């Protein structure tokens, strides 16, 4: 089955720790995205990547970093600089930038 | 700046009743328009999209939406709601393919409408 997988489903972060969220797709999509979702806030774009080895900041990139070394993978690192990381993180992909986005199941990040 | 407004935070309907979820947008040109649905703790599932052509768009699960350019609206409808439709619904707008401008990319989401269904 083609789709987007995110792992882990739940992730716990200690104070001062960096954590990495995984996002993999087997849809052969060029573009990938990371969103943050907070209750009652809709989705906000963190980073997006149009193609391998290229990525752009979204509205709320501070405290986050990404890489795009392979077409299938777009991991998100939540750094210790992100002071309020508790949220639901959603990864998405589309065939090309501005085409329909398809979403993964999400990762919930909690702070210990 | 583009924006999406979903005026209803929470709607409750009885099973079998009709449903309309409102979405209004502010955008410089005719955008691409989407409706997504999210069950608790899950990702978003695409219900339908409008790119061009017929302004009445059919989607999955019996949903439809109508694009009204004059009202900058893209309301979602379903003639008879099922208990399994209880979820949160998000409207989104984005630039068309071929739109120019390095900073013009953005898929903007509304804050969502939570639908509760009374059996």
């Amino acid at each position: 089955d083609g789709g987007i997988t995110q792992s882990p489903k739940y992730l716990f972060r200690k104070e001062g720790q960096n954590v990495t969220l995984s996002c993999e797709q087997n849809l052969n999509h060029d573009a990938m995205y990371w969103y943050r979702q907070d209750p009652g806030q809709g989705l906000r774009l963190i980073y997006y990547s149009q193609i391998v080895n290229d990525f752009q900041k979204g509205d709320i990139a501070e405290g986050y970093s990404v890489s795009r070394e392979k077409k299938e993978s777009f991991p998100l690192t939540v750094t210790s600089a992100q002071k309020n990381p508790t949220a639901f993180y959603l990864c998405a992909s589309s065939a090309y930038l501005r085409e329909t986005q398809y979403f993964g199941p999400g990762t919930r990040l909690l702070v210990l | 700046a583009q924006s999406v407004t979903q005026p209803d935070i929470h709607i409750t309907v009885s099973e079998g009743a009709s449903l309309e979820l409102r979405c209004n947008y502010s955008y410089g040109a005719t955008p691409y328009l989407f409706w997504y649905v999210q069950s608790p703790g899950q990702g978003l599932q695409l219900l339908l999209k409008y790119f061009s052509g017929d302004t009445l768009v059919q989607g999955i699960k019996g949903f439809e939406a109508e694009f009204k350019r004059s009202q900058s609206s893209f309301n979602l409808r379903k003639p008879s709601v099922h208990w399994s439709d209880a979820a949160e619904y998000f409207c989104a707008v984005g630039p068309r393919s071929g739109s120019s401008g390095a900073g013009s990319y953005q898929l903007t989401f509304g804050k969502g409408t939570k639908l509760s269904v009374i059996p």
Side-chain angles (χ1 to χ4, degrees):
Chain A
D1 278 344
I4 302 171
T5 57
Q6 291 187 242
S7 62
K9 189 173 176 64
Y10 296 96
L11 185 58
F12 298 90
R13 193 190 91 162
K14 294 180 181 177
E15 200 71 37
Q17 186 181 41
N18 293 353
V19 293
T20 298
L21 285 63
S22 169
C23 177
E24 304 274 336
Q25 55 97 1
N26 61 4
L27 300 169
N28 199 33
H29 284 173
D30 280 341
M32 297 186 74
Y33 315 80
W34 274 105
Y35 292 91
R36 171 178 172 142
Q37 186 178 27
D38 296 282
Q41 295 299 314
L43 277 71
R44 292 181 290 169
L45 184 65
I46 304 173
Y47 269 99
Y48 66 96
S49 169
Q50 188 172 359
I51 201 167
V52 173
N53 293 323
D54 178 74
F55 48 84
Q56 303 295 327
K57 293 181 179 180
D59 289 337
I60 57 166
E62 186 173 351
Y64 301 97
S65 66
V66 293
S67 62
R68 187 86 186 277
E69 298 177 0
K70 298 188 299 181
K71 186 175 185 177
E72 305 78 19
S73 178
F74 191 40
L76 173 74
T77 297
V78 183
T79 74
S80 56
Q82 173 49 247
K83 297 306 179 187
N84 183 24
T86 298
F88 192 52
Y89 291 86
L90 289 159
C91 177
S93 71
S94 62
Y96 306 101
L97 201 64
R98 301 187 180 128
E99 292 298 318
T100 303
Q101 294 183 26
Y102 298 91
F103 286 80
T107 292
R108 187 165 298 280
L109 177 60
L110 300 165
V111 177
L112 294 176
Chain B
Q2 61 203 54
S3 65
V4 177
T5 301
Q6 293 182 246
D8 303 305
I9 296 173
H10 191 185
I11 285 182
T12 301
V13 300
S14 297
E15 191 169 19
S18 63
L19 172 70
E20 183 170 32
L21 302 182
R22 295 181 290 165
C23 173
N24 293 95
Y25 66 89
S26 173
Y27 203 81
T30 301
Y32 286 167
L33 297 155
F34 307 86
W35 274 100
Y36 288 89
V37 61
Q38 184 181 35
S39 296
Q42 303 295 317
L44 273 67
Q45 180 183 22
L46 179 69
L47 281 176
L48 48 79
K49 60 187 178 185
Y50 173 77
F51 281 9
S52 65
D54 191 346
T55 56
L56 185 62
V57 180
Q58 301 299 320
I60 63 171
K61 304 185 180 186
F63 285 92
E64 66 178 26
E66 186 171 12
F67 169 54
K68 293 186 177 180
R69 187 192 310 271
S70 62
Q71 298 176 20
S72 296
S73 69
F74 189 55
N75 294 348
L76 182 71
R77 302 194 293 248
K78 186 170 184 177
S80 177
V81 171
H82 188 264
W83 64 266
S84 61
D85 293 325
E88 192 157 20
Y89 292 79
F90 293 93
C91 180
V93 301
R96 293 179 165 272
S97 294
S99 301
S100 61
S104 67
Y105 172 72
Q106 185 70 283
L107 184 62
T108 301
F109 286 83
K111 294 187 177 182
T113 297
K114 183 176 180 180
L115 174 66
S116 296
V117 180
I118 301 172

Short mmCIF file of all heavy atoms in Angstrom, two decimals, chain B residues 23-69:
data_model
loop_
_atom_site.label_atom_id
_atom_site.label_comp_id
_atom_site.label_asym_id
_atom_site.label_seq_id
_atom_site.Cartn_x
_atom_site.Cartn_y
_atom_site.Cartn_z
N CYS B 23 -17.15 27.91 4.98
CA CYS B 23 -15.76 28.27 4.78
C CYS B 23 -15.71 29.52 3.91
O CYS B 23 -16.24 29.52 2.80
CB CYS B 23 -14.99 27.14 4.11
SG CYS B 23 -13.29 27.58 3.64
N ASN B 24 -15.08 30.55 4.42
CA ASN B 24 -14.86 31.78 3.65
C ASN B 24 -13.36 32.05 3.58
O ASN B 24 -12.63 31.78 4.54
CB ASN B 24 -15.57 32.96 4.30
CG ASN B 24 -17.07 32.81 4.23
OD1 ASN B 24 -17.70 32.33 5.17
ND2 ASN B 24 -17.63 33.19 3.11
N TYR B 25 -12.92 32.55 2.47
CA TYR B 25 -11.49 32.77 2.31
C TYR B 25 -11.22 34.17 1.79
O TYR B 25 -12.08 34.81 1.18
CB TYR B 25 -10.89 31.72 1.39
CG TYR B 25 -11.38 31.82 -0.03
CD1 TYR B 25 -10.73 32.63 -0.95
CD2 TYR B 25 -12.50 31.11 -0.44
CE1 TYR B 25 -11.19 32.74 -2.24
CE2 TYR B 25 -12.97 31.22 -1.73
CZ TYR B 25 -12.31 32.04 -2.64
OH TYR B 25 -12.78 32.15 -3.91
N SER B 26 -10.00 34.61 2.05
CA SER B 26 -9.52 35.87 1.50
C SER B 26 -8.25 35.55 0.72
O SER B 26 -7.30 34.99 1.29
CB SER B 26 -9.21 36.86 2.64
OG SER B 26 -8.59 38.02 2.13
N TYR B 27 -8.29 35.88 -0.58
CA TYR B 27 -7.17 35.50 -1.44
C TYR B 27 -7.13 36.43 -2.63
O TYR B 27 -8.17 36.91 -3.07
CB TYR B 27 -7.35 34.05 -1.89
CG TYR B 27 -6.08 33.37 -2.31
CD1 TYR B 27 -5.22 32.84 -1.35
CD2 TYR B 27 -5.72 33.26 -3.65
CE1 TYR B 27 -4.04 32.23 -1.72
CE2 TYR B 27 -4.55 32.65 -4.03
CZ TYR B 27 -3.72 32.13 -3.07
OH TYR B 27 -2.55 31.53 -3.42
N GLY B 28 -5.94 36.66 -3.16
CA GLY B 28 -5.80 37.62 -4.26
C GLY B 28 -6.36 37.16 -5.58
O GLY B 28 -6.72 37.96 -6.42
N ALA B 29 -6.43 35.87 -5.77
CA ALA B 29 -6.93 35.32 -7.02
C ALA B 29 -7.69 34.05 -6.67
O ALA B 29 -7.80 33.68 -5.52
CB ALA B 29 -5.76 35.01 -7.96
N THR B 30 -8.28 33.41 -7.65
CA THR B 30 -8.99 32.17 -7.38
C THR B 30 -7.98 31.10 -6.98
O THR B 30 -7.10 30.74 -7.76
CB THR B 30 -9.77 31.70 -8.61
OG1 THR B 30 -10.71 32.71 -8.96
CG2 THR B 30 -10.53 30.42 -8.28
N PRO B 31 -8.11 30.60 -5.76
CA PRO B 31 -7.12 29.63 -5.28
C PRO B 31 -7.56 28.19 -5.56
O PRO B 31 -8.66 27.96 -6.08
CB PRO B 31 -7.13 29.88 -3.78
CG PRO B 31 -8.57 30.25 -3.50
CD PRO B 31 -9.06 30.98 -4.73
N TYR B 32 -6.71 27.26 -5.21
CA TYR B 32 -7.13 25.87 -5.06
C TYR B 32 -7.82 25.77 -3.70
O TYR B 32 -7.38 26.39 -2.73
CB TYR B 32 -5.93 24.93 -5.10
CG TYR B 32 -5.32 24.72 -6.46
CD1 TYR B 32 -4.08 24.11 -6.60
CD2 TYR B 32 -5.98 25.10 -7.63
CE1 TYR B 32 -3.51 23.89 -7.84
CE2 TYR B 32 -5.41 24.89 -8.88
CZ TYR B 32 -4.18 24.28 -8.97
OH TYR B 32 -3.62 24.07 -10.20
N LEU B 33 -8.87 24.97 -3.62
CA LEU B 33 -9.67 24.86 -2.39
C LEU B 33 -9.81 23.40 -1.99
O LEU B 33 -10.01 22.53 -2.86
CB LEU B 33 -11.06 25.47 -2.62
CG LEU B 33 -11.05 26.97 -2.93
CD1 LEU B 33 -12.29 27.36 -3.71
CD2 LEU B 33 -10.94 27.77 -1.65
N PHE B 34 -9.73 23.15 -0.70
CA PHE B 34 -9.75 21.78 -0.19
C PHE B 34 -10.62 21.70 1.07
O PHE B 34 -10.72 22.65 1.83
CB PHE B 34 -8.33 21.31 0.20
CG PHE B 34 -7.31 21.47 -0.88
CD1 PHE B 34 -6.62 22.66 -1.05
CD2 PHE B 34 -7.01 20.41 -1.72
CE1 PHE B 34 -5.66 22.81 -2.03
CE2 PHE B 34 -6.05 20.54 -2.71
CZ PHE B 34 -5.37 21.74 -2.87
N TRP B 35 -11.19 20.52 1.28
CA TRP B 35 -11.76 20.14 2.56
C TRP B 35 -11.11 18.83 3.01
O TRP B 35 -11.02 17.87 2.25
CB TRP B 35 -13.27 19.93 2.48
CG TRP B 35 -14.08 21.18 2.64
CD1 TRP B 35 -14.66 21.93 1.65
CD2 TRP B 35 -14.43 21.82 3.87
NE1 TRP B 35 -15.33 22.99 2.20
CE2 TRP B 35 -15.21 22.95 3.55
CE3 TRP B 35 -14.18 21.55 5.22
CZ2 TRP B 35 -15.74 23.80 4.52
CZ3 TRP B 35 -14.69 22.40 6.18
CH2 TRP B 35 -15.47 23.51 5.83
N TYR B 36 -10.66 18.85 4.28
CA TYR B 36 -10.08 17.67 4.90
C TYR B 36 -10.89 17.33 6.14
O TYR B 36 -11.49 18.21 6.77
CB TYR B 36 -8.64 17.93 5.35
CG TYR B 36 -7.61 18.03 4.24
CD1 TYR B 36 -7.34 19.25 3.63
CD2 TYR B 36 -6.90 16.91 3.82
CE1 TYR B 36 -6.37 19.35 2.63
CE2 TYR B 36 -5.94 16.99 2.83
CZ TYR B 36 -5.68 18.22 2.24
OH TYR B 36 -4.73 18.30 1.25
N VAL B 37 -10.85 16.04 6.54
CA VAL B 37 -11.50 15.60 7.76
C VAL B 37 -10.46 14.91 8.65
O VAL B 37 -9.55 14.23 8.15
CB VAL B 37 -12.68 14.65 7.45
CG1 VAL B 37 -12.22 13.39 6.73
CG2 VAL B 37 -13.42 14.27 8.73
N GLN B 38 -10.60 15.12 9.96
CA GLN B 38 -9.66 14.54 10.92
C GLN B 38 -10.43 13.90 12.07
O GLN B 38 -11.18 14.58 12.77
CB GLN B 38 -8.71 15.61 11.45
CG GLN B 38 -7.64 15.07 12.39
CD GLN B 38 -6.74 16.17 12.92
OE1 GLN B 38 -7.17 17.29 13.16
NE2 GLN B 38 -5.44 15.86 13.09
N SER B 39 -10.21 12.60 12.26
CA SER B 39 -10.74 11.93 13.45
C SER B 39 -9.76 12.13 14.59
O SER B 39 -8.57 12.37 14.35
CB SER B 39 -10.93 10.44 13.16
OG SER B 39 -11.90 10.27 12.15
N PRO B 40 -10.21 12.03 15.83
CA PRO B 40 -9.34 12.31 16.98
C PRO B 40 -8.05 11.50 16.95
O PRO B 40 -8.07 10.28 16.77
CB PRO B 40 -10.21 11.94 18.18
CG PRO B 40 -11.60 12.14 17.70
CD PRO B 40 -11.60 11.74 16.25
N GLY B 41 -6.93 12.19 17.11
CA GLY B 41 -5.63 11.53 17.15
C GLY B 41 -5.14 10.99 15.83
O GLY B 41 -4.14 10.25 15.79
N GLN B 42 -5.79 11.36 14.74
CA GLN B 42 -5.43 10.84 13.42
C GLN B 42 -4.93 11.96 12.51
O GLN B 42 -5.02 13.14 12.84
CB GLN B 42 -6.64 10.17 12.78
CG GLN B 42 -7.25 9.06 13.60
CD GLN B 42 -6.30 7.89 13.77
OE1 GLN B 42 -5.63 7.47 12.83
NE2 GLN B 42 -6.22 7.38 14.99
N GLY B 43 -4.42 11.56 11.34
CA GLY B 43 -4.03 12.54 10.34
C GLY B 43 -5.24 13.07 9.60
O GLY B 43 -6.38 12.73 9.92
N LEU B 44 -4.99 13.91 8.62
CA LEU B 44 -6.07 14.50 7.83
C LEU B 44 -6.32 13.66 6.58
O LEU B 44 -5.38 13.23 5.92
CB LEU B 44 -5.70 15.93 7.41
CG LEU B 44 -6.02 17.05 8.37
CD1 LEU B 44 -5.18 16.95 9.63
CD2 LEU B 44 -5.81 18.40 7.70
N GLN B 45 -7.60 13.50 6.27
CA GLN B 45 -8.00 12.78 5.07
C GLN B 45 -8.67 13.75 4.12
O GLN B 45 -9.55 14.52 4.52
CB GLN B 45 -8.96 11.63 5.41
CG GLN B 45 -9.41 10.83 4.21
CD GLN B 45 -10.41 9.73 4.56
OE1 GLN B 45 -11.08 9.78 5.58
NE2 GLN B 45 -10.51 8.74 3.70
N LEU B 46 -8.28 13.72 2.86
CA LEU B 46 -8.86 14.60 1.86
C LEU B 46 -10.29 14.17 1.55
O LEU B 46 -10.54 13.02 1.20
CB LEU B 46 -8.03 14.57 0.58
CG LEU B 46 -8.53 15.44 -0.57
CD1 LEU B 46 -8.35 16.92 -0.24
CD2 LEU B 46 -7.80 15.09 -1.86
N LEU B 47 -11.24 15.10 1.68
CA LEU B 47 -12.63 14.84 1.32
C LEU B 47 -12.90 15.22 -0.14
O LEU B 47 -13.54 14.46 -0.87
CB LEU B 47 -13.57 15.67 2.20
CG LEU B 47 -13.86 15.16 3.61
CD1 LEU B 47 -14.73 16.17 4.33
CD2 LEU B 47 -14.52 13.80 3.58
N LEU B 48 -12.44 16.40 -0.53
CA LEU B 48 -12.65 16.87 -1.89
C LEU B 48 -11.79 18.09 -2.14
O LEU B 48 -11.23 18.66 -1.22
CB LEU B 48 -14.13 17.20 -2.15
CG LEU B 48 -14.87 18.06 -1.11
CD1 LEU B 48 -14.53 19.52 -1.26
CD2 LEU B 48 -16.38 17.84 -1.23
N LYS B 49 -11.72 18.46 -3.42
CA LYS B 49 -10.91 19.62 -3.80
C LYS B 49 -11.53 20.29 -5.02
O LYS B 49 -12.23 19.65 -5.81
CB LYS B 49 -9.48 19.20 -4.12
CG LYS B 49 -9.39 18.20 -5.27
CD LYS B 49 -7.98 17.67 -5.43
CE LYS B 49 -7.91 16.65 -6.56
NZ LYS B 49 -6.57 16.03 -6.67
N TYR B 50 -11.27 21.58 -5.14
CA TYR B 50 -11.69 22.34 -6.31
C TYR B 50 -10.46 22.97 -6.94
O TYR B 50 -9.74 23.74 -6.29
CB TYR B 50 -12.69 23.44 -5.95
CG TYR B 50 -13.00 24.33 -7.12
CD1 TYR B 50 -13.84 23.90 -8.13
CD2 TYR B 50 -12.41 25.59 -7.24
CE1 TYR B 50 -14.11 24.70 -9.23
CE2 TYR B 50 -12.67 26.40 -8.33
CZ TYR B 50 -13.51 25.95 -9.32
OH TYR B 50 -13.76 26.74 -10.41
N PHE B 51 -10.25 22.64 -8.21
CA PHE B 51 -9.16 23.25 -8.94
C PHE B 51 -9.73 24.16 -10.04
O PHE B 51 -9.26 25.28 -10.24
CB PHE B 51 -8.26 22.19 -9.56
CG PHE B 51 -7.28 21.56 -8.59
CD1 PHE B 51 -7.35 21.82 -7.23
CD2 PHE B 51 -6.28 20.72 -9.03
CE1 PHE B 51 -6.45 21.26 -6.33
CE2 PHE B 51 -5.36 20.15 -8.15
CZ PHE B 51 -5.45 20.42 -6.80
N SER B 52 -10.69 23.67 -10.79
CA SER B 52 -11.30 24.45 -11.86
C SER B 52 -12.53 23.70 -12.35
O SER B 52 -12.82 22.60 -11.90
CB SER B 52 -10.32 24.65 -13.02
OG SER B 52 -10.00 23.41 -13.62
N GLY B 53 -13.28 24.32 -13.26
CA GLY B 53 -14.42 23.65 -13.87
C GLY B 53 -15.68 23.81 -13.05
O GLY B 53 -15.93 24.87 -12.47
N ASP B 54 -16.47 22.75 -13.00
CA ASP B 54 -17.76 22.77 -12.32
C ASP B 54 -17.58 23.22 -10.87
O ASP B 54 -16.75 22.67 -10.14
CB ASP B 54 -18.38 21.37 -12.35
CG ASP B 54 -19.84 21.36 -11.91
OD1 ASP B 54 -20.30 22.36 -11.33
OD2 ASP B 54 -20.52 20.35 -12.14
N THR B 55 -18.37 24.20 -10.47
CA THR B 55 -18.19 24.76 -9.13
C THR B 55 -18.81 23.89 -8.04
O THR B 55 -18.60 24.17 -6.86
CB THR B 55 -18.81 26.16 -9.07
OG1 THR B 55 -20.18 26.08 -9.45
CG2 THR B 55 -18.05 27.12 -9.99
N LEU B 56 -19.56 22.87 -8.40
CA LEU B 56 -20.08 21.91 -7.44
C LEU B 56 -19.21 20.67 -7.52
O LEU B 56 -19.17 19.99 -8.54
CB LEU B 56 -21.55 21.58 -7.73
CG LEU B 56 -22.24 20.67 -6.72
CD1 LEU B 56 -22.29 21.33 -5.34
CD2 LEU B 56 -23.64 20.33 -7.20
N VAL B 57 -18.53 20.39 -6.42
CA VAL B 57 -17.54 19.32 -6.40
C VAL B 57 -18.04 18.17 -5.53
O VAL B 57 -18.51 18.39 -4.41
CB VAL B 57 -16.20 19.84 -5.83
CG1 VAL B 57 -15.17 18.74 -5.82
CG2 VAL B 57 -15.71 21.03 -6.63
N GLN B 58 -17.93 16.97 -6.06
CA GLN B 58 -18.31 15.78 -5.28
C GLN B 58 -17.06 15.18 -4.64
O GLN B 58 -15.98 15.15 -5.24
CB GLN B 58 -18.97 14.76 -6.20
CG GLN B 58 -20.21 15.26 -6.92
CD GLN B 58 -21.32 15.65 -5.98
OE1 GLN B 58 -21.56 14.98 -4.97
NE2 GLN B 58 -22.00 16.76 -6.27
N GLY B 59 -17.24 14.68 -3.42
CA GLY B 59 -16.13 14.08 -2.73
C GLY B 59 -16.45 12.69 -2.22
O GLY B 59 -17.45 12.09 -2.61
N ILE B 60 -15.63 12.22 -1.31
CA ILE B 60 -15.85 10.90 -0.73
C ILE B 60 -16.88 10.98 0.38
O ILE B 60 -17.21 12.07 0.87
CB ILE B 60 -14.53 10.30 -0.20
CG1 ILE B 60 -13.97 11.15 0.92
CG2 ILE B 60 -13.53 10.14 -1.34
CD1 ILE B 60 -12.78 10.52 1.64
N LYS B 61 -17.41 9.84 0.78
CA LYS B 61 -18.33 9.71 1.91
C LYS B 61 -19.60 10.52 1.72
O LYS B 61 -20.26 10.88 2.70
CB LYS B 61 -17.65 10.13 3.23
CG LYS B 61 -16.37 9.38 3.54
CD LYS B 61 -15.83 9.77 4.90
CE LYS B 61 -14.56 9.01 5.21
NZ LYS B 61 -14.07 9.25 6.58
N GLY B 62 -19.98 10.81 0.49
CA GLY B 62 -21.23 11.51 0.23
C GLY B 62 -21.19 13.01 0.41
O GLY B 62 -22.22 13.68 0.40
N PHE B 63 -20.02 13.58 0.60
CA PHE B 63 -19.88 15.02 0.77
C PHE B 63 -19.78 15.73 -0.58
O PHE B 63 -19.29 15.17 -1.56
CB PHE B 63 -18.64 15.35 1.60
CG PHE B 63 -18.79 15.08 3.06
CD1 PHE B 63 -18.42 13.86 3.60
CD2 PHE B 63 -19.31 16.05 3.90
CE1 PHE B 63 -18.57 13.60 4.95
CE2 PHE B 63 -19.45 15.81 5.25
CZ PHE B 63 -19.08 14.58 5.78
N GLU B 64 -20.22 16.99 -0.59
CA GLU B 64 -20.04 17.85 -1.74
C GLU B 64 -19.74 19.27 -1.25
O GLU B 64 -20.01 19.61 -0.09
CB GLU B 64 -21.28 17.88 -2.64
CG GLU B 64 -22.50 18.49 -2.00
CD GLU B 64 -23.69 18.53 -2.95
OE1 GLU B 64 -23.77 17.70 -3.89
OE2 GLU B 64 -24.56 19.40 -2.75
N ALA B 65 -19.18 20.08 -2.11
CA ALA B 65 -18.89 21.46 -1.76
C ALA B 65 -19.13 22.33 -2.99
O ALA B 65 -18.94 21.89 -4.12
CB ALA B 65 -17.47 21.63 -1.27
N GLU B 66 -19.54 23.55 -2.74
CA GLU B 66 -19.81 24.47 -3.83
C GLU B 66 -18.93 25.70 -3.72
O GLU B 66 -18.90 26.37 -2.68
CB GLU B 66 -21.28 24.90 -3.84
CG GLU B 66 -21.64 25.76 -5.05
CD GLU B 66 -23.12 26.01 -5.18
OE1 GLU B 66 -23.87 25.72 -4.23
OE2 GLU B 66 -23.54 26.49 -6.26
N PHE B 67 -18.21 26.00 -4.77
CA PHE B 67 -17.37 27.17 -4.85
C PHE B 67 -18.21 28.34 -5.37
O PHE B 67 -18.80 28.26 -6.45
CB PHE B 67 -16.19 26.92 -5.78
CG PHE B 67 -15.39 28.16 -6.15
CD1 PHE B 67 -14.88 28.98 -5.15
CD2 PHE B 67 -15.18 28.49 -7.47
CE1 PHE B 67 -14.15 30.11 -5.49
CE2 PHE B 67 -14.44 29.62 -7.81
CZ PHE B 67 -13.94 30.43 -6.81
N LYS B 68 -18.27 29.41 -4.57
CA LYS B 68 -18.99 30.62 -4.99
C LYS B 68 -17.99 31.77 -4.98
O LYS B 68 -17.66 32.33 -3.92
CB LYS B 68 -20.16 30.91 -4.06
CG LYS B 68 -21.28 29.88 -4.14
CD LYS B 68 -22.48 30.28 -3.32
CE LYS B 68 -23.60 29.27 -3.48
NZ LYS B 68 -24.80 29.63 -2.67
N ARG B 69 -17.56 32.12 -6.18
CA ARG B 69 -16.53 33.15 -6.31
C ARG B 69 -17.00 34.48 -5.76
O ARG B 69 -16.25 35.18 -5.07
CB ARG B 69 -16.15 33.32 -7.79
CG ARG B 69 -14.98 34.24 -8.04
CD ARG B 69 -14.88 34.57 -9.54
NE ARG B 69 -14.92 33.36 -10.34
CZ ARG B 69 -13.85 32.66 -10.67
NH1 ARG B 69 -12.66 33.06 -10.28
NH2 ARG B 69 -13.96 31.57 -11.42
#
